[in-house]
Amino acid sequence: MDDDLILLGHGSGGTLSHRLLDDLIVATLSGHGPGEQNDAALLAAGETRLAFTTDGYVVDPPVFPGGTIGSLAVHGTVNDLAMMGARPLWLSCALIIEEGFSRSQLAAILNDMRQAADAAGVRIVTGDTKVVPRGKADRIFITTSGVGVLEHDLAIHGANARPGDRIILSGSMGDHGIAVMSAREGLPLEGLCSDSAPLWDLVEQMLDEAGEGIRVLRDPTRGGVATTLKEIAGQSGVTLQLEEDQLPVHPQVQGVCGILGLDPLYVANEGKLLAIVAPELAEALLARMQRHHLGHRAAIIGTVEAGEPGRVRMRTTVGGMRVVEMLAGEQLPRIC
Amino acid sequence: MDDDLILLGHGSGGTLSHRLLDDLIVATLSGHGPGEQNDAALLAAGETRLAFTTDGYVVDPPVFPGGTIGSLAVHGTVNDLAMMGARPLWLSCALIIEEGFSRSQLAAILNDMRQAADAAGVRIVTGDTKVVPRGKADRIFITTSGVGVLEHDLAIHGANARPGDRIILSGSMGDHGIAVMSAREGLPLEGLCSDSAPLWDLVEQMLDEAGEGIRVLRDPTRGGVATTLKEIAGQSGVTLQLEEDQLPVHPQVQGVCGILGLDPLYVANEGKLLAIVAPELAEALLARMQRHHLGHRAAIIGTVEAGEPGRVRMRTTVGGMRVVEMLAGEQLPRIC
């Protein structure tokens, strides 16, 4: 293997991704050290606290059960802002289109994008369109950036988990990744849709319920719940203890994962969040989340412990203890 | 020709681009009517006026005389903010990388990007990295978004040109487009470099000199000076009258254009600006610009007239009058 080449796994969200980010990309562009990364940057504009984020979307296929690359690009960026506790307000949209792409399919994707923006309460205020020759891109790539406003003084970030805190997951794992993979491979999975959805409304109710009891919010996209928890464990210098029998998984997702040798713990979600919350507020917050249509399967899936920094452990359904690691490379490429 | 297909010309910046934007993309995403587009969106965050913009970069080759896709992605976005009179502060960087791209070339591009950001006084505060399989993208695409702050109450936008105003171009036309094209085709053009550069420092001095006398600022990128002036003439409902013998062109650019049948008036620039300014301030502003290293070849190239809305005319060097139109499609693809 030529060490000088960028591999698919470098875009996986797993260990290879983190190493490329820490050693090269973030180090060069921002001068930040490893482990200081959150879903969005916090900025001060006069008296106003802003959050600013960006994500590129290369999902294959661009249309899948439960969404399109257009709605996905809105939800993903809205959610990155929401995970900082910021109200999403404005999006940009940069299109890179392959020559020969269908104009009517583009129209459908843009319509879906606009509907997603309207539903999420954000406006798409600026954009750019590039067309590259046939074979130089794969149909359509969309990069959205988002700006939101923090309407509170809370500090919600990955380094804020404390021993004793509870870990809440807002719903079932892996629906997005398995829905996209099934669409790509032509597997018939009746009734299984991506969970792609905008999470700000849910977050706003959570902030209202638990306020500064909410230590960390993170959406488990690429790399899934396992990777996101590994990041938080590392940033906060704590051990996270999971209970496997509390992890919500759709039976169809569990079935496909079983057949293909995938673990739903590592499969991408696009409408789920992980919250780490003060123990005394966890039950009330959970009840509030379960009353929201995007949180009705929310569950307390584990606890923060003072043990070894960066460790994630899971008590399995048969009572054993399993160490949860990041994946090295790519499990399902081009899922978002 | 199948009307349902997206063509290269739809990304040209010319007539096809404008039609796709007006009829489909901007209409769907924002609900704005045609002609309301500027280089960046203006937003109100509390008491603070923000500008927000995005651009995707697909330049081929990614390294060219005078820059790389990295520095270009910084300059282009910084300049879009500067053209709204906003001080550029923060950038995002979304990478889409083809599997197998060289890590050392990526490092060089990122270094160039950081240096460009430092020189422009902006910080790259957030980002994203995707890797797609070999053959699904062409080496590297970069999308940058930018947020800046307006530190004044001026209204600088495309609909603000008034009869009698003067048109100033900050330097020679077409250097970027011809430098990139020459690098792509392997033409040896000794000493010819892209003009890619950050324009905020020049703009800040211009604002200091002429303040509200500055009606319009626009950087003539894709589609060149001609296309940008056509846009302004349409937005402001005026005629723009150019003097061909006042248009600064590098002799090498003129030579290459002559051989290849290109018109420098339509070739992209990445470190130039067009300013439309009140007549009584034009000479002093020109002198101030000429003292700046990015404006030393600045020239008054024409006048705003009350004639037919949307028209651009040019008095040629031999004394004739030529109507300047937008190009329909693509003259030089993948120049930015």
Side-chain angles (χ1 to χ4, degrees):
Chain A
M1 195 173 83
D2 185 342
D3 274 355
D4 191 48
L5 299 186
I6 299 296
L7 309 174
L8 264 185
H10 283 119
S12 65
T15 309
L16 269 179
S17 282
H18 280 81
R19 232 180 272 152
L20 183 71
L21 283 172
D22 289 345
D23 297 351
L24 180 58
I25 298 179
V26 176
T28 307
L29 293 183
S30 79
H32 281 187
E36 289 176 54
Q37 300 148 36
N38 281 297
D39 285 324
L42 292 184
L43 308 169
E47 300 294 298
T48 308
R49 285 174 84 202
L50 299 176
F52 180 31
T53 189
T54 193
D55 261 319
Y57 296 86
V58 298
V59 60
D60 169 28
V63 177
F64 49 82
T68 70
I69 190 172
S71 51
L72 185 65
V74 170
H75 295 155
T77 293
V78 161
N79 292 350
D80 280 346
L81 295 172
M83 294 308 112
M84 306 303 287
R87 178 187 297 279
L89 290 177
W90 304 295
L91 297 190
S92 66
C93 166
L95 306 171
I96 296 176
I97 306 173
E98 183 186 11
E99 179 190 18
F101 189 67
S102 145
R103 190 186 161 105
S104 49
Q105 199 168 6
L106 175 62
I109 287 168
L110 295 174
N111 265 318
D112 194 46
M113 195 164 189
R114 172 67 184 275
Q115 281 177 26
D118 287 348
V122 294
R123 285 196 304 131
I124 300 169
V125 293
T126 188
D128 181 55
T129 304
K130 295 288 190 303
V131 182
V132 296
R134 212 179 276 267
K136 298 300 185 187
D138 188 8
R139 293 164 287 178
I140 183 167
F141 301 148
I142 302 182
T143 298
T144 43
S145 300
V147 176
V149 173
L150 277 82
E151 297 168 343
H152 51 73
D153 297 324
L154 305 174
I156 298 171
H157 57 82
N160 208 18
R162 305 171 200 178
D165 287 350
R166 300 294 189 266
I167 308 167
I168 299 180
L169 176 60
S170 67
S172 59
M173 297 190 300
D175 301 4
H176 175 74
I178 296 302
V180 170
M181 195 273 295
S182 302
R184 190 191 306 163
E185 306 300 335
L187 303 180
L189 277 181
E190 213 159 306
L192 182 67
C193 281
S194 164
D195 59 325
S196 182
L199 292 167
W200 169 247
D201 189 63
L202 175 62
V203 169
E204 197 172 16
Q205 297 200 20
M206 292 170 66
L207 293 172
D208 176 62
E209 182 69 40
E212 63 189 17
I214 298 177
R215 323 279 202 206
V216 184
L217 289 173
R218 200 62 77 79
D219 56 336
T221 56
R222 271 185 296 180
V225 168
T227 303
T228 304
L229 291 176
K230 281 293 286 182
E231 289 171 1
I232 296 169
Q235 288 180 292
S236 292
V238 294
T239 287
L240 302 181
Q241 168 73 44
L242 303 184
E243 306 299 325
E244 186 173 25
D245 59 9
Q246 298 304 310
L247 289 169
V249 190
H250 199 288
Q252 278 191 300
V253 170
Q254 190 72 66
V256 175
C257 283
I259 293 166
L260 299 177
L262 301 172
D263 183 339
L265 212 51
Y266 293 90
V267 178
N269 312 275
E270 292 288 348
K272 300 292 158 41
L273 62 81
L274 284 159
I276 297 195
V277 299
E280 65 277 12
L281 296 169
E283 288 296 340
L285 180 61
L286 181 69
R288 180 81 176 258
M289 290 174 70
Q290 287 170 339
R291 289 199 297 273
H292 193 281
H293 70 285
L294 293 176
H296 65 93
R297 288 195 69 188
I300 296 177
I301 64 166
T303 312
V304 180
E305 297 185 352
E308 193 186 335
R311 178 166 284 255
V312 179
R313 281 184 321 222
M314 182 164 73
R315 192 186 326 272
T316 65
T317 44
V318 295
M321 198 64 86
R322 169 185 154 195
V323 173
V324 176
E325 296 292 358
M326 256 186 219
L327 286 190
E330 187 62 277
Q331 185 176 248
L332 286 173
R334 294 189 63 193
I335 235 59
C336 62
Chain B
M1 194 171 85
D2 184 341
D3 273 356
D4 191 49
L5 300 185
I6 299 294
L7 309 175
L8 265 185
H10 283 118
S12 65
T15 310
L16 270 178
S17 282
H18 279 81
R19 231 178 273 153
L20 183 71
L21 283 172
D22 289 346
D23 297 350
L24 180 59
I25 298 178
V26 175
T28 307
L29 293 182
S30 80
H32 281 187
E36 289 177 53
Q37 299 147 36
N38 282 296
D39 284 325
L42 291 183
L43 308 169
E47 300 294 297
T48 308
R49 286 174 83 202
L50 299 176
F52 180 31
T53 189
T54 194
D55 261 318
Y57 296 87
V58 298
V59 61
D60 170 28
V63 177
F64 49 82
T68 69
I69 190 172
S71 51
L72 185 65
V74 170
H75 295 155
T77 293
V78 161
N79 292 350
D80 280 345
L81 296 172
M83 293 309 111
M84 305 303 288
R87 179 187 296 280
L89 290 177
W90 304 295
L91 298 189
S92 67
C93 166
L95 305 171
I96 296 176
I97 306 173
E98 184 186 11
E99 179 190 18
F101 189 67
S102 146
R103 190 186 161 107
S104 49
Q105 199 169 4
L106 175 62
I109 287 169
L110 295 173
N111 265 316
D112 195 45
M113 195 165 189
R114 172 68 184 275
Q115 282 177 27
D118 288 348
V122 295
R123 285 196 303 131
I124 300 169
V125 294
T126 188
D128 181 56
T129 303
K130 294 291 190 302
V131 182
V132 296
R134 212 179 277 266
K136 299 299 185 187
D138 188 9
R139 292 164 287 178
I140 184 167
F141 302 147
I142 302 182
T143 297
T144 43
S145 300
V147 176
V149 173
L150 276 81
E151 297 168 344
H152 51 73
D153 297 323
L154 305 176
I156 298 171
H157 58 81
N160 207 18
R162 306 171 200 178
D165 287 351
R166 300 293 188 267
I167 308 167
I168 298 180
L169 175 60
S170 67
S172 59
M173 296 189 302
D175 301 6
H176 176 74
I178 296 301
V180 170
M181 195 272 296
S182 302
R184 190 190 307 164
E185 307 299 335
L187 303 180
L189 276 181
E190 213 159 305
L192 182 68
C193 281
S194 165
D195 59 326
S196 180
L199 291 168
W200 169 247
D201 189 63
L202 175 61
V203 169
E204 197 172 16
Q205 296 200 21
M206 292 170 66
L207 292 173
D208 176 62
E209 182 68 40
E212 63 189 19
I214 298 177
R215 322 278 201 207
V216 183
L217 289 173
R218 199 64 76 80
D219 56 337
T221 55
R222 271 186 295 181
V225 168
T227 303
T228 303
L229 290 177
K230 280 293 286 182
E231 289 171 2
I232 296 169
Q235 288 180 294
S236 291
V238 294
T239 288
L240 302 181
Q241 167 73 43
L242 303 184
E243 306 297 326
E244 187 173 25
D245 60 9
Q246 298 304 311
L247 288 169
V249 190
H250 199 288
Q252 278 191 300
V253 170
Q254 191 73 67
V256 174
C257 283
I259 293 166
L260 299 178
L262 301 172
D263 184 337
L265 211 52
Y266 294 90
V267 178
N269 312 275
E270 292 287 348
K272 299 291 158 41
L273 63 82
L274 284 158
I276 297 195
V277 299
E280 66 277 14
L281 296 170
E283 287 296 341
L285 180 61
L286 181 69
R288 180 81 175 260
M289 290 173 71
Q290 287 172 339
R291 289 200 295 275
H292 193 280
H293 70 286
L294 293 175
H296 64 92
R297 288 195 69 190
I300 296 177
I301 63 166
T303 312
V304 180
E305 297 185 353
E308 195 186 333
R311 178 166 281 255
V312 179
R313 280 184 320 222
M314 183 164 72
R315 193 187 325 271
T316 65
T317 46
V318 296
M321 197 64 85
R322 169 184 155 195
V323 172
V324 175
E325 296 292 358
M326 256 187 217
L327 286 190
E330 186 62 278
Q331 185 175 247
L332 286 173
R334 294 188 66 191
I335 236 55
C336 61

